[in-house]
């Protein structure tokens, strides 16, 4: 069955520290992969996406993610976290060429001043 | 460029009633998808419409339905509301082609069923 796992429900980091949010997927073929961020009471904002090609993808707000086929992972990273990054982060997967996204359960990020 | 617009933002309905939610996609986008977000089940895909046709469907009962108009605007309808239908309903807009499937989400409609 197709699934996305975000093992960390909550993560707390200090402002200025580095961040890595984990995402593992289970899929029959190479999927399209996405990271979204959601602030309280808001919709989802696309941070970055992977369709094919270079396995290290750059996104908005200084985020990047690396696709590792052998580990079925697509972890999100940021070298230095800002207080405004506090939000919930969702990893999603879709079959190539489709719009039916499967989302992980999300990781809530708290940033300490 | 205007983003995805969902109306209304908040809605309170009584059990047994029906409700219609609206979504206006980004100009030029032809695909609209709908998702339900709840604390217990997370984000779940409802359906996707492209050129007025349902192209994909999730695992929801028939009480959940949708449609898309010729201008790509979409509506979803939930009939015979249940308490468990209380959720944030998110609409996503996409170009609709098979090569670039990134979706842009609206701010959602918060539905409360009492």
């Amino acid at each position: 069955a197709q699934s996305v796992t975000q093992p960390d429900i909550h993560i707390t980091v200090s402002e200025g520290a580095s961040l890595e949010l984990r995402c593992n997927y289970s899929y029959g073929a190479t999927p399209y992969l996405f990271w979204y961020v959601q602030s309280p009471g808001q919709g989802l904002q696309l941070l970055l996406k992977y369709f094919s090609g270079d396995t290290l993808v750059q996104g908005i707000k200084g985020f990047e993610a690396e696709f590792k086929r052998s580990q079925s992972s697509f972890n999100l990273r940021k070298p230095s976290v800002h207080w405004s990054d506090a939000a919930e982060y969702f990893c999603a997967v879709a079959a190539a060429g489709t719009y039916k996204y499967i989302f992980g359960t999300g990781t809530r990020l708290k940033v300490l001043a | 460029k205007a983003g995805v617009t969902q109306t209304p933002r908040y809605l309170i309905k009584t059990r047994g009633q029906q409700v219609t939610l609206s979504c206006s996609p980004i100009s030029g986008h032809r695909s609209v998808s709908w998702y339900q977000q709840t604390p217990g089940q997370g984000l779940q895909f409802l359906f996707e419409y492209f050129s007025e046709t349902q192209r994909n469907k999730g695992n929801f009962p028939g009480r959940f339905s949708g449609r898309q108009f010729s201008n790509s605007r979409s509506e979803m309808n939930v009939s015979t509301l249940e308490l468990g239908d209380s959720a944030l309903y998110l609409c996503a807009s996409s170009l609709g082609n098979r090569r670039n499937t990134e979706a842009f989400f609206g701010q959602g409609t918060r539905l409360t069923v009492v």
Side-chain angles (χ1 to χ4, degrees):
Chain A
Q2 303 153 0
S3 65
V4 177
T5 302
Q6 294 181 247
D8 304 305
I9 298 174
H10 297 278
I11 281 187
T12 300
V13 300
S14 297
E15 192 171 18
S18 62
L19 173 71
E20 182 169 32
L21 302 182
R22 296 182 290 166
C23 172
N24 292 95
Y25 66 89
S26 173
Y27 218 80
T30 301
Y32 287 359
L33 294 157
F34 309 86
W35 274 100
Y36 284 87
V37 61
Q38 184 178 38
S39 297
Q42 301 297 313
L44 302 173
Q45 181 182 23
L46 178 66
L47 286 175
L48 47 77
K49 60 187 184 287
Y50 174 78
F51 292 157
S52 65
D54 193 350
T55 56
L56 184 64
V57 293
Q58 302 297 320
I60 62 171
K61 303 185 178 186
F63 286 94
E64 67 177 26
E66 186 171 13
F67 170 61
K68 293 186 177 179
R69 185 192 306 274
S70 61
Q71 298 177 20
S72 296
S73 69
F74 189 56
N75 294 349
L76 182 71
R77 300 193 293 249
K78 187 169 185 179
S80 178
V81 170
H82 188 263
W83 64 266
S84 60
D85 293 325
E88 190 156 22
Y89 292 78
F90 293 92
C91 179
V93 64
T98 76
Y99 293 88
K100 182 178 180 180
Y101 287 17
I102 297 171
F103 282 89
T105 51
T107 297
R108 189 171 298 276
L109 173 66
K110 182 177 179 180
V111 180
L112 300 177
Chain B
K1 206 178 209 183
V4 180
T5 304
Q6 291 189 245
T7 56
R9 288 293 311 278
Y10 302 92
L11 209 48
I12 299 175
K13 289 288 188 178
T14 303
R15 203 169 32 174
Q17 287 186 314
Q18 75 165 14
V19 67
T20 299
L21 311 182
S22 180
C23 173
S24 293
I26 293 170
S27 177
H29 285 193
R30 297 169 64 193
S31 167
V32 173
S33 302
W34 289 89
Y35 290 82
Q36 181 196 65
Q37 185 177 23
T38 60
Q41 299 298 316
L43 281 151
Q44 294 186 287
F45 174 81
L46 282 155
F47 28 66
E48 183 222 349
Y49 285 86
F50 176 77
S51 291
E52 302 179 65
T53 301
Q54 188 179 87
R55 189 159 64 172
N56 220 328
K57 188 177 185 304
N59 297 321
F60 278 81
R63 301 186 296 107
F64 292 82
S65 62
R67 60 177 176 168
Q68 187 180 33
F69 302 95
S70 58
N71 61 358
S72 294
R73 190 178 70 85
S74 177
E75 290 181 345
M76 69 162 280
N77 185 77
V78 188
S79 62
T80 319
L81 283 165
E82 301 177 359
L83 295 179
D85 296 333
S86 294
L88 181 67
Y89 289 89
L90 292 165
C91 163
S93 159
S94 310
L95 286 170
N97 62 47
R98 300 290 190 178
R99 291 180 298 129
N100 183 338
T101 62
E102 60 187 10
F104 299 89
F105 284 79
Q107 293 196 308
T109 294
R110 170 76 62 185
L111 172 65
T112 302
V113 182
V114 298

